[in-house]
Amino acid sequence: MAIVSRGFSGRRREGGERLPPGQYLVEDFPVLSAGPTPVVPPDRWEFAIDTESGQTHRWSWRELMALPRQRQTVDIHCVTRWTKLDTTWEGVSLDVLFEDVETTADYALVHSYGGYTTNMPLDDLLDGKAWIAYRFDGEELAPVHGGPARLLVPHLYFWKSAKWVRGIRLLDDDWPGFWETAGYHNYGDPWREQRYEDD
Ligand SMILES: Nc1nc2c(c(=O)[nH]1)N[C@H]1C(S)=C(S)[C@@H](COP(=O)(O)O)O[C@H]1N2
Ligand SMILES: [Mo]
């Protein structure tokens, strides 16, 4: 059995091995949005987790800022084939937000200001794999990249990292989101090149 520490996992794929199949490297940070950038002033921002049993857990912007934050450097992979290495983010781990959430649900449907949705198994949001990110590259997250806050789930194709994130609905049954309904893969693992529904 392999025990992989955080530091070791960062060096796991050296050089070209950090590029998933079919991807190319970019230095810039492309913007991909299916619609206009919603305007969400922080004093009207809130984030909510709705459980399958009807409980709602809410955080205001001020409450989010009061939670412990993490800084992490990750590689991001868009299904349109660009990969950006070593992107640095700050935000709150979903593990922190889920601390007091009682659930037996297996699925999460993430939704955003502006109406975007994306789905994933709840396990993919836990155990240090996902964050609500509000800083990028040492600065406030720009509105075009999802500011004031976006989901960051770097181990899946970047369409799963919902910009302008507003909440997570926990579900017993999987419910496909925006791109998943439009023919993209339900799970979206870049290392298994799960781009479209039949991949
Ligand atoms: N709310 C919302 N989130 C979204 C999208 C979107 O259109 N709306 N596009 C997704 C896609 S396809 C990608 S590749 C990334 C792009 O993020 P970026 O514009 O910061 O590069 O956001 C994802 N999250
Ligand atoms: Mo994308």
Side-chain angles (χ1 to χ4, degrees):
M1 192 175 77
I3 296 170
V4 182
S5 76
R6 218 174 148 66
F8 184 73
S9 72
R11 289 190 297 272
R12 181 179 46 171
R13 302 175 196 277
E14 298 289 348
E17 284 177 45
R18 288 172 68 185
L19 199 58
Q23 297 291 109
Y24 64 87
L25 290 178
V26 294
E27 291 297 327
D28 60 335
F29 193 176
V31 171
L32 281 105
S33 301
T37 296
V39 178
V40 192
D43 61 335
R44 298 214 339 246
W45 186 93
E46 79 164 23
F47 179 79
I49 296 175
D50 292 297
T51 74
E52 75 283 9
S53 59
Q55 304 275 339
T56 300
H57 301 255
R58 289 176 207 282
W59 294 265
S60 66
W61 184 256
R62 189 190 290 260
E63 288 165 336
L64 186 82
M65 290 302 114
L67 295 174
R69 62 178 73 184
Q70 286 179 357
R71 193 163 193 268
Q72 64 284 325
T73 300
V74 297
D75 302 339
I76 54 180
H77 313 289
C78 175
V79 73
T80 63
R81 299 184 182 272
W82 57 266
T83 283
K84 187 169 173 60
L85 301 179
D86 295 326
T87 61
T88 302
W89 303 82
E90 276 173 63
V92 178
S93 167
L94 268 284
D95 294 318
V96 172
L97 296 171
F98 272 91
E99 256 165 33
D100 297 325
V101 175
E102 277 187 43
T103 181
T104 58
D106 288 327
Y107 299 101
L109 181 63
V110 181
H111 53 100
S112 295
Y113 292 93
Y116 185 84
T117 56
T118 187
N119 60 302
M120 62 217 71
L122 176 56
D123 280 350
D124 286 83
L125 293 176
L126 303 177
D127 295 325
K129 294 197 286 291
W131 297 268
I132 301 296
Y134 47 77
R135 293 180 71 78
F136 170 78
D137 205 12
E139 318 246 345
E140 271 180 25
L141 181 60
V144 286
H145 288 299
R150 77 182 296 164
L151 185 67
L152 177 65
V153 199
H155 72 287
L156 300 176
Y157 279 125
F158 208 36
W159 88 75
K160 301 282 185 178
S161 292
K163 303 198 277 190
W164 316 297
V165 68
R166 178 178 201 158
I168 298 173
R169 176 169 292 274
L170 300 175
L171 300 165
D172 291 324
D173 299 304
D174 200 8
W175 188 267
F178 179 80
W179 287 118
E180 295 83 2
T181 312
Y184 283 84
H185 197 276
N186 194 54
Y187 185 63
D189 179 351
W191 295 97
R192 289 186 277 166
E193 216 173 347
Q194 294 173 336
R195 297 177 193 277
Y196 308 108
E197 57 189 337
D198 297 325
D199 290 345

